[in-house]
């Protein structure tokens, strides 16, 4: 019985000691912020090389673009997950392996 009380009291004292050595959340967060190096916001750079059927995004003429069966004028084909990259032909996206979607002229 005495052994049980001694173990309970020892466990209690160890827990209190461990908790008292921890800093308050406000103090630890301010120290962490001063210790961490400043992280610059990086702008995702576009690759310099264009893909085989990729076209210049500024070219909206649609003259170099394959047409589909709808008869509407297509400006370009694009991957819905990467809409800023334009392609001249339909097919699978080189980024997500999904079907390219047409962007029609309005």
């Amino acid at each position: 019985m005495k052994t049980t009380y001694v173990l309970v009291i020892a466990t209690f004292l160890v827990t209190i000691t461990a908790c008292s050595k921890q800093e308050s959340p406000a103090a630890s967060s301010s120290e962490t912020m001063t210790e961490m190096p400043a992280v610059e916001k990086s702008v995702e750079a576009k690759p310099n090389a264009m893909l085989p059927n990729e076209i210049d995004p500024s070219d909206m003429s649609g003259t170099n673009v394959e047409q589909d069966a709808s008869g509407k004028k297509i400006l370009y084909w694009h991957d819905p997950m990467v809409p800023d990259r334009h392609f001249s032909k339909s097919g699978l996206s080189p980024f997500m392996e999904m079907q390219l979607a047409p962007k029609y002229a309005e």
Side-chain angles (χ1 to χ4, degrees), residues 65-106:
V65 177
E66 170 189 273
Q67 294 295 314
D68 68 353
S70 69
K72 298 178 187 176
K73 183 177 181 180
I74 298 175
L75 297 176
Y76 55 86
W77 297 83
H78 67 97
D79 182 345
M81 301 298 285
V82 188
D84 60 334
R85 303 292 292 265
H86 303 159
F87 299 93
S88 62
K89 297 179 182 178
S90 63
L92 290 179
S93 166
F95 307 110
M96 302 288 176
E97 296 295 325
M98 58 189 295
Q99 191 66 34
L100 293 173
K103 172 64 177 171
Y104 295 105
E106 294 181 23

Side-chain angles (χ1 to χ4, degrees), residues 14-51:
V14 168
T15 305
I16 290 176
T17 306
C19 290
S20 66
K21 288 186 179 181
Q22 291 180 350
E23 298 175 13
S24 67
S28 65
S29 65
S30 64
E31 287 179 10
T32 306
M33 292 180 83
T34 57
E35 293 173 7
M36 292 178 59
V39 178
E40 296 179 21
K41 291 182 180 179
S42 62
V43 177
E44 186 176 321
K46 286 187 177 180
N48 294 337
M50 292 181 70
L51 296 169

